[in-house]
Amino acid sequence: MLVLLLVLSTLSFSNCQQCQSRDYGNGGTVCVCNATYCDTIARPQRVPPSQFLTYTSNLAGLRFSQTSGTFAPRPNSSNRIYLNSSRVYQTIIGWGGAFTDATGINIESLPANMREMLLESYYSPNGLEYSLGRVPIGGTDFSVRPYSYDDGGPDPDLINFALAPEDLLYKIPNIQRAINLTNGNIKLFASAWTAPRWMKTNGDYSGYGFIRRFFYQTWANYYVRFLDEYRRRGVNFWGITTGNEPADALNPFDQLEVVGWPSWLIGDWILNNLGPTIRGSPNYSNLTIMILDDQRVFLPWYIVRALNNNRTRQYIDGIAVHWYLDLYSSPDLLDQTQRLFPEKFILGTEASVMPASYETPVLLGSWTRGEEYSSDIITDMQHWVTGWVDWNMALNPDGGPNYIRNFVDSTIIVNATSAEFYKQPTYYHFGHFSKFVPRGSVRIDCNLVLSDNSTDVDSVAFRRPDNGTAVVILNRNPTAVSLNILDNSRGTAPIAITAKSITTVLYW
Ligand SMILES: *[C@@H]1O[C@H](CO)[C@@H](O)[C@H](O)[C@H]1NC(C)=O
Ligand SMILES: *[C@@H]1O[C@H](CO)[C@@H](O)[C@H](O)[C@H]1NC(C)=O
Ligand SMILES: *[C@@H]1O[C@H](CO)[C@@H](O)[C@H](O)[C@H]1NC(C)=O
Ligand SMILES: *[C@@H]1O[C@H](CO)[C@@H](O)[C@H](O)[C@H]1NC(C)=O
Ligand SMILES: *[C@@H]1O[C@H](CO)[C@@H](O)[C@H](O)[C@H]1NC(C)=O
Ligand SMILES: *[C@@H]1O[C@H](CO)[C@@H](O)[C@H](O)[C@H]1NC(C)=O
Ligand SMILES: *[C@@H]1O[C@H](CO)[C@@H](O)[C@H](O)[C@H]1NC(C)=O
Ligand SMILES: *[C@@H]1O[C@H](CO)[C@@H](O)[C@H](O)[C@H]1NC(C)=O
Ligand SMILES: *[C@@H]1O[C@H](CO)[C@@H](O)[C@H](O)[C@H]1NC(C)=O
Ligand SMILES: *[C@@H]1O[C@H](CO)[C@@H](O)[C@H](O)[C@H]1NC(C)=O
């Protein structure tokens, strides 16, 4: 009786604050947070082995709605998910977002208590429990101006290197809050967009430009100077990438800041400059180095030349992929990459919904955009990806600021005028993974069989470090689906999947 009461009391506390929903007429709803109210999601509490928890978000408006069920001895549906926890795949590194200038500018536009509330929505135990953070080295298009940390004349010794006001105002304070909210359990990694113009062959931040050979070592030193400046301010990094989207330089009309790297030169730079500089430095010798930081479509050919050199390969720990061309490239490319370089992890390092030509950049409440996130994450997880990092964590209702007007959507949209922020369906779709699949979880075999020919259902399963099992199920059908999860060690979990929903099932 006492046990039952305890279980009931934990269940009743677990949905702390409900979503305050608002419909903007875009096919779904947002949850509104203001100075006195914001929805939260408590850390799940372990239930007895006979039971399982389900968390559901759907088009109809549920958000992390929790119910519990009991394992049955026999299946009662021929729609089935067969789990086999003896067959294991990749280990999860984590989930997160990017501390862009635009993120910081939008956070600063809110009253002080709401700044905290917004970061808690991502990094606290009552939020999505993000465990990764990406930090641009200098500016990106999601800044209000182009810049590097050494914008004067040629300066091979980086004597004039200095952080920008944006680092001190918009990035470091928020990163420090996130470190605090996660109790230090956050892995930060840094990516550079552009180098100072004097280091580049075209003398510009964007366009068809590469690092001049003469400055290869200076460019490696620039990374260390950045790491030093952040370290002095209490921000220590877990990793770096070799640079954001090097292929953008191939499009001379592209206005994105970029350092171009042909596949046959990036290995030279890693082998002769970046690798020895990082591994030889007293403070950063164990820093994680990731190559690519660009679209999946470039795998594996772009990295093969670098990684086929054994000496270069030893400097590279992982492969960073972005999601933008995923519709035009098979996830088999990830499998091929994993087979070629099984000791290198693959991590998703950027995603955001780009508007179609007929859409506005921000579609408040769009459930379809949420589905785009979760279906991409499930596919990535099914193909060896070890985590997923979103792009801006907060944008304004236009999808900015962005000084080249490359506006996109974001998981949280800030309305500075009304002192509100809106949690988009993408926020919840992503949360169905980040909240329930902590770092150290391992993907397990998950085989979905739909007997009634329902399509557009997808699933992926994990064994958590606390030995819990988490199964994420995305239903893009406009109809409900009843299905069973079959786990040999436990029995059958009958699950009622609602129309247009995402569900996480959790048991220990
Ligand atoms: C915030 O939203 C809650 C719930 O709708 C409402 O009761 C409260 O008055 C709002 N607070 C402000 C400051 O607008
Ligand atoms: C299967 O069993 C569960 C739990 O008893 C029940 O809620 C569900 O409706 C059943 N499904 C079917 C298809 O009979
Ligand atoms: C589960 O996976 C293990 C390891 O691959 C395999 O030996 C076993 O046959 C699988 N069990 C089932 C029921 O498929
Ligand atoms: C977070 O901040 C609190 C209050 O300032 C402090 O006591 C705690 O040590 C900080 N935690 C970390 C991990 O920095
Ligand atoms: C790097 O390490 C050295 C020696 O361990 C130390 O003296 C120095 O202050 C460190 N640099 C930074 C920026 O922390
Ligand atoms: C890297 O080295 C630092 C300093 O020696 C240490 O605190 C940290 O735990 C190390 N990180 C890893 C991943 O080994
Ligand atoms: C590179 O390393 C692999 C694995 O250690 C080894 O099999 C291969 O012979 C090495 N290649 C060269 C060119 O040394
Ligand atoms: C932002 O707030 C202002 C002032 O309340 C309001 O006029 C505007 O419609 C809001 N924008 C959105 C997207 O809700
Ligand atoms: C599913 O599709 C197969 C092949 O098209 C068909 O034979 C079967 O009757 C369908 N099942 C249901 C329940 O519609
Ligand atoms: C998980 O299970 C393994 C083996 O069954 C056991 O050794 C380990 O202590 C368990 N870990 C937790 C956190 O319960």
Side-chain angles (χ1 to χ4, degrees):
M1 191 58 192
L2 184 63
V3 171
L4 184 65
L5 281 175
L6 282 173
V7 168
L8 287 174
S9 63
T10 51
L11 284 180
S12 60
F13 278 111
S14 51
N15 261 332
C16 293
Q17 305 226 62
Q18 301 295 319
C19 163
Q20 190 189 165
S21 66
R22 186 181 293 170
D23 190 344
Y24 284 87
N26 293 316
T29 50
V30 299
C31 299
V32 181
C33 295
N34 65 20
T36 55
Y37 193 91
C38 196
D39 56 296
T40 56
I41 162 91
R43 205 168 263 181
Q45 300 292 314
R46 191 184 275 263
V47 289
S50 60
Q51 292 184 17
F52 58 86
L53 298 174
T54 67
Y55 291 85
T56 300
S57 302
N58 63 18
L59 173 63
L62 294 182
R63 295 291 182 267
F64 295 135
S65 167
Q66 194 204 66
T67 61
S68 61
T70 306
F71 280 96
R74 273 174 303 279
N76 69 353
S77 164
S78 45
N79 292 324
R80 291 177 188 176
I81 292 175
Y82 296 92
L83 299 184
N84 183 350
S85 58
S86 307
R87 188 168 291 162
V88 296
Y89 303 85
Q90 75 273 28
T91 300
I92 297 303
I93 295 175
W95 319 88
F99 292 91
T100 59
D101 291 346
T103 297
I105 288 167
N106 282 298
I107 291 175
E108 288 307 302
S109 75
L110 288 165
N113 78 313
M114 291 188 72
R115 295 176 202 157
E116 193 66 30
M117 200 184 255
L118 192 149
L119 284 164
E120 283 174 8
S121 296
Y122 288 120
Y123 283 100
S124 84
N126 283 326
L128 297 190
E129 302 198 46
Y130 277 10
S131 53
L132 294 175
R134 186 175 186 222
V135 182
I137 300 176
T140 76
D141 53 321
F142 281 92
S143 299
V144 293
R145 62 185 183 110
Y147 64 91
S148 81
Y149 294 131
D150 200 338
D151 277 334
D155 180 18
D157 298 323
L158 301 176
I159 290 162
N160 300 317
F161 183 103
L163 292 185
E166 283 88 339
D167 293 278
L168 309 178
L169 289 171
Y170 303 132
K171 291 182 187 168
I172 292 171
N174 290 323
I175 295 167
Q176 283 168 337
R177 284 183 201 142
I179 293 171
N180 191 288
L181 288 170
T182 57
N183 214 359
N185 186 28
I186 182 175
K187 288 186 193 289
L188 296 164
F189 65 95
S191 302
W193 268 244
T194 185
R197 285 176 290 189
W198 49 264
M199 272 194 220
K200 293 178 62 184
T201 54
N202 66 343
D204 204 351
Y205 295 121
S206 61
Y208 189 73
F210 307 86
I211 299 290
R212 293 165 62 192
R213 276 271 181 187
F214 182 72
F215 290 125
Y216 272 21
Q217 185 55 42
T218 307
W219 184 226
N221 295 344
Y222 186 96
Y223 275 72
V224 171
R225 290 285 283 111
F226 168 81
L227 295 166
D228 282 347
E229 293 298 331
Y230 267 62
R231 187 184 167 94
R232 280 197 195 103
R233 292 165 177 85
V235 177
N236 293 302
F237 282 88
W238 161 74
I240 55 172
T241 75
T242 50
N244 179 69
E245 297 191 357
D248 290 347
L250 299 179
N251 176 355
F253 303 109
D254 201 326
Q255 293 174 279
L256 288 169
E257 295 157 303
V258 65
V259 168
W261 279 116
S263 64
W264 60 93
L265 289 180
I266 193 161
D268 288 0
W269 178 62
I270 294 167
L271 177 62
N272 298 317
N273 310 102
L274 184 71
T277 300
I278 294 294
R279 297 283 178 256
S281 72
N283 301 317
Y284 314 113
S285 59
N286 61 5
L287 201 71
T288 298
I289 300 178
M290 291 174 267
I291 193 172
L292 189 66
D293 210 12
D294 208 328
Q295 318 309 327
R296 172 205 288 169
V297 70
F298 301 119
L299 286 174
W301 70 266
Y302 181 86
I303 62 169
V304 161
R305 183 156 173 158
L307 283 164
N308 273 354
N309 179 322
N310 278 358
R311 287 190 303 143
T312 311
R313 187 169 176 157
Q314 66 168 354
Y315 289 123
I316 298 167
D317 302 292
I319 300 151
V321 285
H322 296 187
W323 90 324
Y324 297 98
L325 299 172
D326 281 4
L327 286 179
Y328 311 102
S329 61
S330 166
D332 293 347
L333 298 177
L334 297 166
D335 299 335
Q336 287 175 33
T337 304
Q338 195 275 339
R339 277 197 297 275
L340 284 170
F341 311 112
E343 83 281 15
K344 309 300 180 197
F345 68 81
I346 306 174
L347 181 69
T349 49
E350 195 183 308
S352 63
V353 178
M354 311 266 294
S357 55
Y358 52 87
E359 291 175 330
T360 55
V362 173
L363 275 183
L364 286 169
S366 168
W367 186 257
T368 305
R369 289 184 174 184
E371 292 176 341
E372 286 175 37
Y373 263 42
S374 51
S375 61
D376 191 80
I377 296 169
I378 289 178
T379 305
D380 273 357
M381 292 300 123
Q382 289 166 338
H383 298 274
W384 296 101
V385 176
T386 57
W388 215 79
V389 180
D390 194 18
W391 188 211
N392 303 281
M393 288 189 277
L395 291 177
N396 66 29
D398 296 326
N402 182 295
Y403 77 91
I404 60 169
R405 304 184 61 79
N406 179 30
F407 301 131
V408 301
D409 213 331
S410 172
T411 38
I412 286 183
I413 298 296
V414 170
N415 188 344
T417 320
S418 60
E420 291 175 325
F421 62 82
Y422 312 123
K423 293 181 178 173
Q424 292 271 46
T426 45
Y427 171 95
Y428 298 92
H429 277 262
F430 192 16
H432 272 270
F433 301 86
S434 69
K435 181 75 189 175
F436 305 103
V437 185
R439 171 179 308 143
S441 297
V442 179
R443 180 167 73 91
I444 60 173
D445 211 46
C446 173
N447 188 11
L448 174 72
V449 179
L450 294 171
S451 67
D452 62 3
N453 297 348
S454 307
T455 52
D456 277 346
V457 179
D458 214 345
S459 67
V460 64
F462 305 87
R463 166 58 62 91
R464 296 164 31 120
D466 67 359
N467 287 342
T469 299
V471 189
V472 188
I473 304 158
L474 172 67
N475 178 20
R476 282 183 287 184
N477 290 299
T479 52
V481 179
S482 116
L483 58 77
N484 290 169
I485 294 173
L486 272 65
D487 180 335
N488 277 342
S489 70
R490 206 59 67 84
T492 297
I495 313 286
I497 300 289
T498 59
K500 287 275 178 192
S501 68
I502 180 159
T503 303
T504 302
V505 180
L506 195 55
Y507 57 86
W508 287 265

